[in-house]
Amino acid sequence: MLTLISELSRAAAQALRAAYENNPAIPDELLVQAPARQEFGDFQVASCLQLARPLGKKPRDLAQVVKEALKAHPAVEKAEVAGPGYVNLHLRSSWLEKKVAGLLSDPRLGLPRSGTGHRVVVDFSSPNVAKPMHIAHIRSTIIGDAMQRVLRALDHEVVSDNHLGDWGTQFGKLIVAYRRWLDKEAYARAPIVELVRLYQKFVEEDHAEAVALGIVKPDRRAEGEGEAEGEEKETRKVAPTPLLSEARAELVKLQQGDVDNLFLWREFVAVSMKEFEKSYQRLGVRFDVQLGESYYNPRLPSLVEELLARGIAEASQGAAVCHVEGEPAPLLIRKGDGSFLYGTTDLATIEHRVKTWDPARILYVVDGRQQMHFRQVFAVARKMGFTCELLHVWFGTMRFRDPDTGDWGTGSTRKGNVPLLEEFLNEALRHAEAVAREQNAELSETEVQEVARVVGLGAVKYNDLCRDRQGDVNFDVDQAMSLKGNTATYIQYAYARIRSIGRKAGAAGGTAPLRLGLPAERALARKLLDYPGAVLRVGQSARPHHLTEYLYDLAGVLSTFYNDVPVLKAEAEIRASRLVLLETVARTLKHGLDLLGIEVLERM
Ligand code: ARG
């Protein structure tokens, strides 16, 4: 199903092509936009002005051709050439009224089932075990969840998978630290906090040892592309310290199935999962499967052998590597000491996903610093013969204010100054609670708590979704909860206001016939028809900000409507029609926010 705008855009382009011998200067679609002023009509085409020169024609002659073509569309009541070569379109009120009435009776609000039969795996969140889920993981969780919701709404069959980092090099260090320095009481109270402390303690002790032994080189560690989040590079040292050697030995023992180490590892995974679950519950995020890296471990040795045998990998100084054209470095899949890597696991994961689900597409919602990693993995997967579409849905860095210096920064797990996700959410909720009390003194205590929860979580999520994901994000609590501007709070408020009008109007309303007489009513109706297009764009581009932009615009058109048009004071039939229109807007706002994982409030 095409939206009205794209139907008109294509019809206009086709008419010009037919008239001007398929001239390649004519695009597939001409831009159809809302006009600058309402009296110009519902839509305007301005492209004839730009196309005149390459076609060697007068703009108004082109406009004439477009006008004749668009006049024939059933939605168009009147088309006219205006000014130097614009085409202004006026929609048939009856057409608009019928369309909007159709939306109200459609629980999908016009969304097409474009994804039917098209299975998608969404790999997202994927935090690392024995480390807390900190603020940087929130982006993957929020964007990934929005993607799975949007894709499901378009009727894709979605398999969401939390690819937990439960098999990394951190376990050797943790096992050593746990045996040496565990504070049992602290661990009983807050296991993850204690594990993080142990990990940091290991890093400090290792560094101190290295300094004492004179084996540290000046710190040339830089946060490079392809570095897994939180993974420590050991390029600083010329040789490992005895402590680090011990950790490596414990890791090898673990990987070889040592019973005691496996026992500890299971314990670390269990306490971490419990903690992650709390965050997912709070955020309303769920996964179809949660297959961590460890799940693929048994497959790694044979996979590497197969890749070597097929000539996809080659031996290099005891290690195994896959060369990838155009990349500065090969993908290392087995180290000289026989251990396997992040990328080896990712190859086994693709194989498993293809065998199990045969998806058309796999989305990886992962930090932009891993771009090279995914380019390499995807290239090797192609050589292995996997044909499904592989897409790295990458995003920029989340920055927050350093409480000491006031500067924006990303923090570092190593230094332990990254806010934990839970603390970060608590802070947002506290802020929202204060705002709720201030805004509405009539709310009961239970209502204040509910408003704080919905507004606080909404602000955090929306802040992350409302701009192109590839940019960096500074999280500013005040700005994220502002009642003005492009925020979840503004849109939630727009929804609650419609609900409040509905309550004042009483039970009446329902299915009264629509009358779209005034420009502000028509503008609102037209905007409602754009909803499916916005959702489709998110599904195709994996960029949720197309939906936030739409919702923000819709809320803006709504506020113009309130300025221009009385609702409760209008004469009975008109009032009923306007209530129906508002009801459709409310449903669209709620539906759209839900696709972003954001709740609404009936009053706030
Ligand atoms: N655990 C990894 C990290 O925190 C992210 C994993 C992403 N998914 C994947 N299939 N590599 O950096």
Side-chain angles (χ1 to χ4, degrees), residues 123 126-128 137 163 165 228-229 293 342 346 364 366 370 374:
D123 176 322
S126 312
N128 299 317
H137 285 117
H163 188 77
E229 157 63 32
E293 293 178 21
Y342 183 50
D346 261 324
Y364 294 81
V366 186
Q370 296 189 26
F374 283 109

Side-chain angles (χ1 to χ4, degrees), residues 2 77 92 202 537 572:
L2 290 176
E77 177 165 78
R92 225 176 270 286
F202 183 97
R537 222 167 311 142

